[in-house]
Amino acid sequence: MTEFANRVEQVSISGIREVFEAASEDAINLGLGQPDFPTPAHARRGAIEAIESGHTDAYTSNKGTRSLREAISAKYDRDYDLEIDPEDVIATSGGSEALHLVLQAHVDPGEEVIFPDPGFVSYDALTEIADGTAKPVPLREDLTLDPATVEEAITDDTAVFVVNSPANPTGAVQSEADMREFARIADEHDVLCLSDEVYEHIVFEGAHHSPMEFAETDNVVVVSACSKTYSMTGWRLGWVAASNRRIERMLRVHQYGQACASAPAQYAAEAALTGPQEPVEEMVETFERRRDLVVDGLEDAGLEVPTPEGAFYAMPKVPEGWCDEVLDRGVVVVPGDAFGEHGEGYARLSYATGTEDLKEALEIIDDATRAVR
């Protein structure tokens, strides 16, 4: 009898889904990892016009349309003064597929993938699916990833280490000095740095930096997407940027597993990247106001919470039984251990929801916190 592959047996359903399924239909949902804003009108029009003109009826190039890849290349030149050839970009079905391509192309069975804990749930699962060995490492007290911790964890079996800034689930933003160190580590140890930059434009203090800005070798691969920046989670359009030799290997996985990203989504993404950026700025300003509201509310409830500098998540330390108490009172939060062993004792709250709902949720959280202390 055919049994299931071990790589699948090692992967469980996300703990985030379990929380959603346990919540009542009228609960205030602070668990969703997607912006509560519409996709910008000019991005929608880009897709509509391409559909109506018949440009989306056929496969695109496996890497994606040339015009989209040129728009992505121009974005890196504009944002980070990085010269990326459009041939060194693959348009993917969201940032998740991009992460999958990187690990499939660079990790042999048993090789280690180092990633932050608590960290995005896909890092562990996609490592297992690649037959790699997951090697989570703890964060600093401010929930940033310490380059020294990463460097200490590297062995002869390490293939990849993951950097995520701004970070899910913590909202932490790595400093420029940290990013320089991650680039140095990738160069000196000849280990691939996978930089997950899906939240790159949702930064409240300072600026986002990519380790690709500072690397002297091609040992940095960048993953990003339109999902968070342009509120396009449902469009499923991301990309991976790397040296040509790495892109050509990842293309071998992409062309058989996906062929190409959705054509309408590619045209929408091109319009998003090349059109007005005011909707992004307005969204980030709103998230910052909500961040301040949430942090103040959590601190008023007596919880310790590092101030998130990006994304749209807060991760307070919480007492035992807190998450269940909050959920029972009608507010969905995600227990920190859904994001790794070192997330135990924390909870993730998303403030990608309306201000009035946030205010109501914070009142409930205040009552719940008193109840478990």
Side-chain angles (χ1 to χ4, degrees):
M1 176 182 287
T2 301
E3 297 295 334
F4 297 108
N6 185 62
R7 71 177 70 88
V8 174
E9 292 296 86
Q10 298 304 309
V11 176
S12 59
I13 297 298
S14 168
I16 300 174
R17 179 181 293 183
E18 294 177 3
V19 173
F20 288 171
E21 290 177 351
S24 63
E25 291 184 4
D26 58 350
I28 300 173
N29 196 335
L30 304 187
L32 285 176
Q34 65 178 7
D36 59 320
F37 295 85
T39 299
H42 61 278
R44 295 181 181 185
R45 283 196 303 272
I48 292 168
E49 291 171 3
I51 292 169
E52 291 179 340
S53 63
H55 292 160
T56 61
D57 294 347
Y59 295 119
T60 71
S61 161
N62 291 134
K63 289 183 178 179
T65 67
R66 176 74 187 191
S67 57
L68 170 59
R69 289 181 285 120
E70 287 175 346
I72 294 169
S73 176
K75 166 212 147 23
Y76 283 101
D77 184 29
R78 179 177 67 243
D79 293 345
Y80 310 114
D81 198 26
L82 281 170
E83 293 185 9
I84 295 178
D85 192 306
E87 288 301 309
D88 296 342
V89 174
I90 300 174
T92 61
S93 293
S96 295
E97 193 216 348
L99 294 172
H100 178 66
L101 297 184
V102 177
L103 296 181
Q104 289 293 323
H106 293 93
V107 179
D108 273 327
E111 288 189 326
E112 297 169 346
V113 177
I114 298 168
F115 53 83
D117 177 0
F120 182 42
V121 294
S122 289
Y123 303 146
D124 189 310
L126 291 176
T127 297
E128 297 290 349
I129 291 170
D131 281 335
T133 299
K135 196 168 185 179
V137 295
L139 304 177
R140 297 170 172 138
E141 276 297 308
D142 66 356
L143 301 181
T144 57
L145 180 63
D146 190 340
T149 302
V150 172
E151 191 163 25
E152 290 168 4
I154 291 174
T155 71
D156 290 342
D157 294 323
T158 303
V160 177
F161 68 90
V162 179
V163 176
N164 176 211
S165 178
N168 178 7
T170 65
V173 175
Q174 301 289 152
S175 68
E176 179 180 345
D178 283 347
M179 291 305 205
R180 288 182 180 275
E181 276 295 281
F182 290 132
R184 178 195 64 77
I185 291 166
D187 290 340
E188 291 186 5
H189 291 270
D190 197 23
V191 171
L192 189 73
C193 172
L194 194 177
S195 185
D196 180 353
E197 303 179 15
V198 167
Y199 295 87
E200 62 183 304
H201 289 292
I202 307 177
V203 177
F204 311 131
E205 280 90 29
H208 167 73
H209 290 279
S210 171
M212 188 176 275
E213 297 176 62
F214 312 114
E216 296 179 359
T217 67
D218 74 343
N219 287 344
V220 176
V221 172
V222 170
V223 165
S224 195
C226 288
S227 302
K228 314 300 183 178
T229 299
Y230 298 102
S231 195
M232 293 175 64
T233 54
W235 293 83
R236 308 311 304 133
L237 197 291
W239 59 83
V240 56
S243 67
N244 190 258
R245 71 185 184 114
R246 297 192 187 280
I247 285 292
E248 292 304 316
R249 267 65 174 192
M250 288 184 275
L251 187 63
R252 299 176 191 180
V253 181
H254 174 70
Q255 68 180 354
Y256 293 113
Q258 189 64 34
C260 64
S262 159
Q266 291 189 53
Y267 285 98
E270 180 186 342
L273 288 163
T274 59
Q277 300 302 299
E278 285 83 3
V280 179
E281 296 167 5
E282 292 168 4
M283 184 172 67
V284 173
E285 289 172 1
T286 300
F287 282 142
E288 184 172 7
R289 289 194 297 271
R290 293 177 184 174
R291 184 276 308 262
D292 294 342
L293 173 68
V294 168
V295 169
D296 288 346
L298 294 173
E299 290 179 342
D300 287 346
L303 298 174
E304 179 183 341
V305 54
T307 300
E309 296 183 348
F312 37 74
Y313 307 108
M315 203 164 194
K317 290 184 178 180
V318 297
E320 186 175 353
W322 187 89
C323 291
D324 288 338
E325 185 70 25
V326 170
L327 184 62
D328 287 345
R329 292 169 181 257
V331 175
V332 178
V333 297
V334 183
D337 58 9
F339 303 98
E341 177 184 349
H342 294 285
E344 185 172 359
Y346 290 85
R348 189 193 78 172
L349 285 70
S350 167
Y351 42 91
T353 191
T355 300
E356 292 308 311
D357 279 348
L358 286 174
K359 290 179 178 178
E360 182 179 349
L362 289 167
E363 291 178 2
I364 294 170
I365 284 170
D366 187 51
D367 292 339
T369 304
R370 286 199 299 269
V372 297
R373 281 188 164 159

